[in-house]
Amino acid sequence: MKRNIKKVVVLGSGVMGSRIACHFAGAGIQVLLFDMVPKEFEASTKPAERNKLVNDALQAAVKSNPSPVYTKDVLKKITTGNFTDNMKDIATADWILEVVVERLDIKQKIFEQVEQYRKPGTLITSNTSGIPIYMMAEGRSDDFKKHFCGTHFFNPPRYLRLLEIIPTPHTDPAVVDFLMHYGDVILGKTTVLCKDTPAFIANRIGIFSIVNIFHLMSKHGFTIDEIDALTGPVIGRPKSATFRTADVVGIDTLVKVAKGVADNCPNDEAKEKFSIPTWLDAMLTNNWLGDKTGQGFFKKIKGAGGEKEILTLDLATMEYKPRVKPKFASVDAAKPIDDLKQRIKMLHGAPDKAGNFYREFHFGLFSYISHRIPEISDELYRVDDAMMAGFGWEIGAFESWDLVGVAKTVEAMKAAGYSGASWVDEMIASGATAFY
């Protein structure tokens, strides 16, 4: 059938739900945004009070920086409501998108309501980042299962291009094809087809990359400022590098995903690296969760002259100290090189402390991604697409491996105690010298 998405319902108005609603509105789609009736207004008959939660959430999203909308005019396309009074209105929708709290029982309760009112053939998707997609559709009708899929947006949806599409064994292939195309053409996304595995593709690889850096940091005695200098734009990663990214994402979120992988991937050969360092546990205890609580790995203060100053957490003392600009000879020499590929090759081969870090950093990453094929994807290019679109990497992981030389890096990895998957050795033995 030919689909035409005229109206979307977003169930859940939290940080993600409200911003996804704004993104659809920005693409010209009518949106119904629903959430719970606040407990204190359950007896009220006033719509303004019954919809206070969803209205406040939408206003908070609109005021956030960076803005989730191109112009305020698009907000006219969003109508708010609540799960109690307005669920019947989903009968008019072409796509129902669930973005409620990450609890399976609550999601299943919502889907039970959805099934009462949705018209047959309506798309239903979940934005979950941690619950297996197939579990959410259990007990639902065949028509529901046929049109149900995971659609994992990244925050903030207007700016991060990745949209992971995760079908279940029951999802109609035509629905998957439609979502892949619609996400690309209408929503402006890089759509990546994923398997229904814990953390899907981008978070599985991205969180590994971060916890692997934590491991290397402890092993070699690097500071937070040094790691962010090594893992930012100089190697084609965002300015937020590693620790600033963690502050933006939320340290509690990072820990939740890491623990989810450790708990749900018993056969992951690197799962011990997902264990949480004691200093990270201490940050959770202190409620130092990053930007959302005003301090994390970094903390803004007012200096003596009233100007803003950014302090960095010293993980040895758990105290904030003035930032120290790191000095690495190889990094200073590489910065003037405009060609990113040449820069990465140079840094990977550098003889100093930074070069040692880059080699171990790459060995860990290359080993990990090789073992994830075919677990999380049958096609390696999807891994690169997901990391570039979801984490802002300028160059993909497999593309980086090609760049520094697959065969010679495999030998160096083995000498350093890192093992790649057997299919890589078989590829090299066949005469193939690169992934691309």
Side-chain angles (χ1 to χ4, degrees), residues 16-53:
M16 282 305 293
S18 55
R19 285 159 178 77
I20 288 170
C22 288
H23 192 71
F24 273 96
I29 312 301
Q30 293 290 332
V31 182
L32 303 180
L33 177 63
F34 298 164
D35 213 313
M36 295 184 296
V37 176
K39 279 191 169 63
E40 64 269 28
F41 294 125
E42 283 177 350
S44 173
T45 57
K46 297 177 182 177
E49 291 180 340
R50 293 181 69 78
N51 293 337
K52 187 176 188 306
L53 185 65

Side-chain angles (χ1 to χ4, degrees), residues 171-187:
T171 309
D172 184 342
V175 167
V176 178
D177 291 344
F178 173 81
L179 290 170
M180 292 287 289
H181 177 76
Y182 189 91
D184 176 16
V185 175
I186 306 300
L187 299 180

Side-chain angles (χ1 to χ4, degrees), residues 187-420:
L187 299 180
K189 297 295 179 186
T190 297
T191 50
V192 175
L193 184 64
C194 302
K195 293 186 177 183
D196 193 3
T197 54
F200 312 129
I201 294 178
N203 277 340
R204 182 76 174 273
I205 304 300
I207 299 300
F208 167 79
S209 184
I210 291 172
V211 297
N212 186 45
I213 287 168
F214 291 168
H215 174 77
L216 293 175
M217 178 182 184
S218 300
K219 180 179 176 182
H220 297 294
F222 286 101
T223 67
I224 285 174
D225 287 329
E226 286 176 326
I227 290 293
D228 272 11
L230 292 170
T231 58
V234 71
I235 57 166
R237 304 291 170 84
K239 284 192 294 184
S240 55
T242 299
F243 288 97
R244 181 74 190 99
T245 295
D247 272 2
V248 172
V249 168
I251 288 149
D252 53 337
T253 303
L254 187 152
V255 168
K256 186 177 180 182
V257 176
K259 284 185 172 177
V261 172
D263 293 344
N264 298 310
C265 301
N267 298 321
D268 189 314
E269 76 293 338
K271 72 173 186 175
E272 76 284 349
K273 287 190 178 177
F274 287 89
S275 58
I276 305 306
T278 52
W279 47 262
L280 205 52
D281 267 332
M283 292 179 74
L284 291 176
T285 302
N286 293 341
N287 203 39
W288 296 350
L289 307 181
D291 288 5
K292 68 177 82 174
T293 59
Q295 66 189 96
F297 293 112
F298 300 98
K299 180 181 180 181
K300 279 184 185 175
I301 62 164
K302 278 192 176 179
E307 73 285 355
K308 283 184 180 177
E309 184 183 353
I310 298 175
L311 304 180
T312 305
L313 184 63
D314 183 332
L315 297 178
T317 63
M318 297 304 286
E319 295 175 352
Y320 289 94
K321 297 181 178 179
R323 300 179 80 173
V324 177
K325 189 172 182 180
K327 292 290 289 181
F328 296 105
S330 60
V331 173
D332 290 341
K335 280 181 179 176
I337 299 171
D338 289 333
D339 187 311
L340 174 61
K341 294 182 177 182
Q342 290 303 317
R343 203 158 65 230
I344 290 173
K345 284 174 76 171
M346 177 181 172
L347 290 168
H348 181 83
D352 63 352
K353 185 180 180 182
N356 291 335
F357 167 81
Y358 285 123
R359 282 185 289 279
E360 276 208 73
F361 163 75
H362 279 138
F363 293 166
L365 177 63
F366 297 162
S367 172
Y368 196 71
I369 58 174
S370 71
H371 285 290
R372 303 286 73 78
I373 304 290
E375 180 196 350
I376 64 174
S377 176
D378 293 325
E379 300 87 9
L380 56 85
Y381 76 86
R382 297 191 194 279
V383 173
D384 282 2
D385 284 354
M387 298 317 301
M388 290 189 286
F391 278 77
W393 295 8
E394 287 184 48
I395 185 168
F398 282 104
E399 190 181 359
S400 296
W401 198 346
D402 270 357
L403 183 62
V404 296
V406 179
K408 72 175 185 179
T409 305
V410 165
E411 291 307 311
M413 286 166 64
K414 288 175 181 174
Y418 291 84
S419 62

Side-chain angles (χ1 to χ4, degrees), residues 136-154:
M136 289 185 278
E138 286 177 353
R140 303 273 60 85
S141 68
D142 288 345
D143 186 79
F144 187 107
K145 290 179 179 178
K146 181 179 176 182
H147 295 93
F148 181 70
C149 191
T151 47
H152 184 213
F153 289 80
F154 274 60

Side-chain angles (χ1 to χ4, degrees), residues 10-24 31 33-35 57-58 60-61 64 68 78 97-102 107 126-129 151-160 162-164 189 203 248-249 253:
V10 178
L11 303 175
S13 66
V15 170
M16 282 305 293
S18 55
R19 285 159 178 77
I20 288 170
C22 288
H23 192 71
F24 273 96
V31 182
L33 177 63
F34 298 164
D35 213 313
L58 182 58
S64 67
I78 302 176
L97 213 158
E98 171 274 312
V99 203
V100 301
V101 67
E102 288 284 83
K107 289 179 186 291
S126 173
N127 186 64
T128 184
S129 58
T151 47
H152 184 213
F153 289 80
F154 274 60
N155 189 33
R158 181 184 160 193
Y159 300 92
L160 283 182
L162 181 60
L163 173 58
E164 293 180 315
K189 297 295 179 186
N203 277 340
V248 172
V249 168
T253 303

